[in-house]
Amino acid sequence: MTDTQPGGIGPNETCTQIIGRIYQLQLAPEPGIRELPVHVEMTYRRSRPFELEVRFRTCGDTTSVTWCIGRELLSAGLTGASSEVDDAAQHLARDVQISTHALSRHDWTLITLRSPSGTAEIGLPSHELIEFIDRTEDVVAAGMEGPLVAEADLAALFDEPGPVW
């Protein structure tokens, strides 16, 4: 894991890079699960305190896919199962689910992403995600996101420069 990114890390932002595994269900020629390494870059910004920007890129690819995931959603998934929708009747509508699983050597967190084009399951070492969430709380403490957003919204409403981030 590295904690550096050119030109963006400071008191208002934190970033991490993690190597994980993407799991792909394979039906032919024989049913099974195919595993591929995946590079995951997570960025947290004070200016968007409720969300994490998560960029996924399989090894060897030059293009990536970016998702925004709630910081609270990831935090909850590190201690149990979480999803963006709590209503059981809307189970199929959930586009992000996060759960942590104890394995023989260490815990892994499974992030399931659903879109109209398909489903991806990405496994990441839980301890690296926990370390990253801890660093995001150094930027904006958990529970303090609302006042920060309200201050920025009021500044925009009154067309004032607002807080310096």
Side-chain angles (χ1 to χ4, degrees):
M1 174 180 78
T2 57
D3 185 26
T4 58
Q5 175 182 340
I9 302 304
N12 295 320
E13 184 174 316
T14 187
C15 182
T16 193
Q17 295 179 11
I18 304 169
I19 302 293
R21 310 290 298 166
I22 189 166
Y23 303 97
Q24 184 178 48
L25 181 61
Q26 187 174 292
L27 299 175
E30 291 182 27
I33 293 180
R34 184 174 154 205
E35 291 183 42
L36 303 167
V38 63
H39 293 275
V40 178
E41 182 179 303
M42 301 180 112
T43 304
Y44 178 78
R45 293 180 179 85
R46 180 179 175 88
S47 60
R48 302 186 70 138
F50 288 105
E51 69 185 50
L52 304 170
E53 180 181 286
V54 186
R55 191 168 308 141
F56 302 95
R57 181 178 53 83
T58 56
C59 296
D61 273 351
T62 56
T63 59
S64 61
V65 175
T66 303
W67 283 64
C68 287
I69 296 175
R71 175 172 74 162
E72 188 175 318
L73 178 72
L74 179 60
S75 257
L78 291 170
T79 58
S82 67
S83 64
E84 288 189 321
V85 179
D86 291 330
D87 183 358
Q90 295 183 359
H91 176 70
L92 296 176
R94 296 177 183 169
D95 59 350
V96 178
Q97 290 180 298
I98 300 171
S99 58
T100 297
H101 306 274
L103 301 176
S104 60
R105 287 190 270 160
H106 52 270
D107 293 352
W108 276 78
T109 298
L110 187 64
I111 300 175
T112 304
L113 305 170
R114 287 185 178 80
S115 74
S117 60
T119 299
E121 293 188 322
I122 295 108
L124 301 167
S126 298
H127 72 277
E128 293 192 36
L129 295 173
I130 291 167
E131 290 171 10
F132 178 66
I133 288 294
D134 287 347
R135 287 197 314 277
T136 70
E137 292 179 358
D138 291 340
V139 177
V140 176
M144 297 306 296
E145 303 92 343
L148 188 64
V149 171
E151 186 178 323
D153 288 345
L154 284 173
L157 180 66
F158 293 110
D159 199 30
E160 295 176 8
V164 177
W165 290 328

